[in-house]
Structures are given as C-alpha cells and as structure tokens.
Amino acid sequence: MSEKNTAPKETLFSPKNRKLLTEPIGKENPITVQVLGICSVLAITVQLEASLVMAISVVAVMGSANVIISLLRHGIPPRIRIIVQLTVIASLVVLVDQILKAFLYDVSRQLSVFVGLIITNCIIMGRLEAFALSNKVWPSFLDGIGNAAGYGSILLLLAAIRELLGSGTLMGYQVIPNFIYQIGYEDNGLMILPPMALITVGIIIWVHRHRDRSLVDVS
Amino acid sequence: MEDLFSIFVRAIFIDNMVFAYFLGMCSYLAVSRTVTTSVGLGAAVIFVLGFTVPVNYLLENFILSRGALSWLGPQFAAVDLSFLTFIMFIAIIAAMVQLVEMLIEKLSPTLYSSLGIFLPLIAVNCAILGGSLFMQERNYANITEAISFGLGSGAGFFLAIVGIAAIREKIRYSNVPAPLRGLGITYIITGLMGIAFMSFMGIEL
C-alpha cells in the first residue's frame, strides 16, 4: 500500500477508535451509566473466580457478535433484525457454554443458568442495536470489547469487595491473616447474600458520580 | 392441588425472580418510574411467562432432552439434543412474544397502545428466559406444575416492579444526596426490599 492511499484512511488505533475502547470503562460504563446488563452482575459476584470466567465469556461473545452483525448489517431486513440478532448471540453462547462444560466444569456448575442468560443480557443486544448495525467492522469490534471490558471491570470490582469482606478470601485463597481473626475479626456474612450486591452497586455508583459530577441525575 | 399452590407461592415469595435471582433487572429499573406503566409491564410479563414456560416444558420433554424422542420410535431413544436448548427456547420466546403482541393488538387496542415499546422488549427480558431455564433445572413432574411455576414467577415480578414504582414515586419528594439520586438510590432500595424478602427464606411448603 502506498503512502498516498493510507494517509486519509484512519489507522487502527486512531484517537477516535481508542475512545471507543476506553469510554465504556469509565464515563460511558454500561453498568453504572447506561443501565445495561445488570442481572448477571448481581447474581454471580459472590466469588472472584466465577466472575472472571463470566467476564471473559462476555468479552468473547460480545466482540464476535458485534463483528458478525456488523458484517451482516446490509443483509438483515429491519423487520426481523431482533430474531437474527438473537440467533447469532444464542449460537455464540452455546459455543461458550459447551467450552465451559468441557474445560471448567466446576465453574460452569456454579454459574448455572447465568451462562445461558448471556443471550438476554441487554448489554449485548443494546450495543448491537445502537452500534454494530450502523458501523464498520473494526469500530464495532472495539466497541464490543470496550463495553464488555467496562462490564467486566465492575463485575470484578464487585466480586473482589464481596469475596474479601464476605469470606476473607480472593480467588479462593485466604487473604486476611489468621491473627486478625484471633483478635476478634469476623467475616461479614451479609456480604455473601444477594441484597448486598445491590447495595454495593449503589455505593459504587455513588462514588463514581461523586467524582464525575456531569453524570448526576438531575430529574 | 396443594402441590400446585405451594409451587405458586414459592415462586412468588421465596424464589422471587427479582429479589432472589436478580432476573429482569433491566426493565425493572427502566420502567419503574410510575405505577401505571409498571402495572402494564408486570401484567404482560405474567402473561408471557404463563405461556412460554409450559410450551418450553413440552419442548424440553418431548424433543430436546436425552431419550425424549423415543415416541418417534426406538431408534431415536439415544438422541440427545440438549445442546440446542438455548436456541430453541429463545426462538419460542421470541415467537410467543410476537404472537401475544398480535393478539393484544387485535383484542384490546387500548391496552396495546398503553404498553407500547415494552411488549417487544419482553423478548429480551432475562426473567422470561430465566423462567424457562429454572424450569429445566428443577425438573417439574408435569405440565400443570410448569404452568403454576410460570404464573407464580410472573406474579413475583409484578409485585416487585409495582412495589419499587410506588416507592420511587414517593421518594421524589425526599432529600437524597445528588450523586445518589436516580439510579443509585433505586439500587439501595431494591437491596433493602431484598433483605425484607429474605425473611421468607427457609420456609418449607
């Protein structure tokens, strides 16, 4: 390729493309700002390991779903686009589910129905509708990876807080030393229970919006 | 009969879709601004769950699971199609939602216009697919049990969304810290409601 041809074309990591990747992790975070894909965040964050597997699965499904839909975007009739999107996502999720069952059986038991529920995770559907249907392949790929990473970062943060305070471990290894327990420290059993996930997300949102005043809900 | 009733009550209170499993959270947060719209969405979810869970139950037991095809003949007894579960379930749900939409449009145009965009969005409500997947995990004995589980889960969702909408209408007049306003406080209220619902845990029916 000559110099003349490449000059007007955007490079792979131009500032605009980099923004697609990094915005969803902070300012446009799918969980705390766009309110997409909440269900699984709350249910599986008791332990860090399961959350890590879930985050990787979502990154994989979302990156490839965005690429596929973006490739097909001129061929999909608008009336049946929801069914087409669901079929693409469902096939990818079946692949992930079978891989997990084959190589990480324990984690897959622990995640139970939530692997299947990646299909109806609104974050995937929402980004396909809002971005991949009207953009080129490479930006769509970056958008998918970026949003999934934003989702995953909240997932991991929440899981780390809950596992550390709830059972005193991280990834299954004990982190809080024994002598602290002997002084009289006890694990907070409430952190493991489902309602605390909601309250912890509420607090994360509070901190996030306090640091970035432009996100405050004025209504 | 007692069995059916206890499955129904269990699905509403103990295994509540929203508070115990966090399913349907997205529409729960997005549509709970006023009580009237949340009543509409809740009713539609009861309706769709009451339809899709039994249909998926039949699909699971007569086509998808291992040995389910044996009614076709002995040579099909070893066929295991369970890897198709997700795709088939979601296809059934999308089709049923489309059907329900057409029925409501025909029978009651006023209800149709008041539900608006929420009706098609039910297809991607995780509570619906979650209901079918839990039904599969729990191995209900017959189709009436599956129906009562579906209706009960829908009723649980209805209860949750109407409750949060009522609280949100009231809290508009309270002095909430600015960064917490809107989404943040809604999460915390839901957490507190969840703690209240946990008092039903451990009740054997």
Side-chain angles (χ1 to χ4, degrees):
Chain A
M1 225 182 281
S2 70
E3 184 73 16
K4 208 176 130 210
N5 273 341
T6 49
K9 215 177 138 208
E10 273 193 84
T11 52
L12 285 184
F13 285 99
S14 64
K16 195 168 144 240
N17 282 341
R18 262 209 310 274
K19 214 168 137 199
L20 285 175
L21 197 59
T22 53
E23 282 261 283
I25 297 176
K27 211 172 171 55
E28 283 290 318
N29 191 294
I31 309 287
T32 58
V33 182
Q34 303 179 47
V35 205
L36 292 173
I38 318 278
C39 322
S40 51
V41 166
L42 302 168
I44 53 152
T45 49
V46 179
Q47 281 180 334
L48 198 54
E49 196 188 355
S51 311
L52 193 63
V53 172
M54 186 73 176
I56 294 170
S57 315
V58 171
V59 170
V61 170
M62 215 168 149
S64 20
N66 263 11
V67 167
I68 293 173
I69 292 294
S70 176
L71 281 174
L72 293 174
R73 71 185 184 280
H74 296 303
I76 301 175
R79 285 190 67 86
I80 59 158
R81 67 178 192 285
I82 292 186
I83 298 176
V84 174
Q85 287 164 359
L86 280 177
T87 319
V88 168
I89 301 171
S91 327
L92 290 167
V93 171
V94 170
L95 278 180
V96 168
D97 185 48
Q98 299 290 327
I99 291 172
L100 284 185
K101 274 191 183 141
F103 295 107
L104 288 165
Y105 190 70
D106 292 335
V107 181
S108 131
R109 296 287 315 168
Q110 203 186 342
L111 290 172
S112 88
V113 300
F114 288 97
V115 177
L117 289 175
I118 297 178
I119 300 171
T120 48
N121 194 328
C122 16
I123 183 181
I124 298 179
M125 206 57 190
R127 291 323 293 178
L128 288 183
E129 279 276 295
F131 200 92
L133 268 180
S134 50
N135 281 285
K136 291 211 179 79
V137 174
W138 177 246
S140 307
F141 177 71
L142 289 180
D143 182 76
I145 298 288
N147 274 286
Y151 166 89
S153 60
I154 295 286
L155 201 70
L156 295 179
L157 177 64
L158 199 58
I161 294 174
R162 286 181 76 192
E163 198 182 338
L164 186 64
L165 295 180
S167 22
T169 56
L170 280 178
M171 302 289 285
Y173 297 105
Q174 191 176 347
V175 174
I176 294 176
N178 272 326
F179 72 88
I180 294 187
Y181 284 106
Q182 280 153 14
I183 299 170
Y185 174 83
E186 288 207 24
D187 290 328
N188 185 353
L190 195 61
M191 289 309 274
I192 303 180
L193 299 176
M196 276 315 284
L198 288 161
I199 296 179
T200 319
V201 176
I203 293 169
I204 291 175
I205 291 175
W206 190 0
V207 173
H208 188 209
R209 293 193 177 181
H210 186 78
R211 293 169 57 111
D212 192 344
R213 287 278 169 170
S214 63
L215 297 174
V216 171
D217 194 348
V218 282
S219 65
Chain B
M1 195 61 215
E2 267 169 40
D3 250 18
L4 296 183
F5 187 68
S6 79
I7 287 176
F8 184 71
V9 174
R10 244 192 106 79
I12 296 182
F13 291 108
I14 303 170
D15 294 334
N16 188 294
M17 277 287 176
V18 175
F19 297 125
Y21 295 106
F22 308 114
L23 297 177
M25 228 30 195
C26 308
S27 42
Y28 169 86
L29 289 169
V31 188
S32 60
R33 282 183 193 277
T34 59
V35 172
T36 26
T37 51
S38 62
V39 168
L41 181 75
V45 167
I46 296 183
F47 202 64
V48 174
L49 263 175
F51 262 108
T52 51
V53 171
V55 170
N56 281 339
Y57 178 86
L58 293 178
L59 196 69
E60 159 80 11
N61 281 285
F62 290 102
I63 295 179
L64 292 178
S65 63
R66 172 178 286 274
L69 276 174
S70 51
W71 54 273
L72 272 181
Q75 71 271 33
F76 290 101
V79 178
D80 184 3
L81 292 177
S82 53
F83 64 93
L84 283 176
T85 308
F86 295 152
I87 296 185
M88 293 305 283
F89 279 8
I90 199 74
I92 290 284
I93 288 170
M96 290 306 282
V97 169
Q98 195 76 54
L99 201 67
V100 167
E101 192 183 352
M102 272 149 50
L103 269 180
I104 293 183
E105 191 182 8
K106 204 82 181 161
L107 296 178
S108 161
T110 44
L111 180 64
Y112 179 76
S113 58
S114 69
L115 280 176
I117 181 73
F118 304 132
L119 213 49
L121 278 188
I122 291 175
V124 283
N125 186 333
C126 18
I128 310 288
L129 183 62
S132 292
L133 293 178
F134 277 126
M135 173 274 296
Q136 186 192 26
E137 256 199 4
R138 290 178 196 162
N139 289 324
Y140 287 110
N142 54 41
I143 189 164
T144 44
E145 284 188 14
I147 293 176
S148 80
F149 170 72
L151 290 176
S153 316
F157 183 82
F158 180 87
L159 205 66
I161 195 169
V162 173
I164 191 81
I167 296 178
R168 280 182 83 172
E169 277 192 4
K170 286 280 175 200
I171 214 164
R172 207 164 292 155
Y173 306 107
S174 317
N175 189 13
V176 179
L180 203 54
R181 221 167 269 168
L183 193 59
I185 194 73
T186 312
Y187 272 113
I188 292 178
I189 296 168
T190 312
L192 294 176
M193 286 168 83
I195 291 178
F197 263 74
M198 278 179 58
S199 58
F200 293 109
M201 241 184 213
I203 296 177
E204 287 295 325
L205 283 171

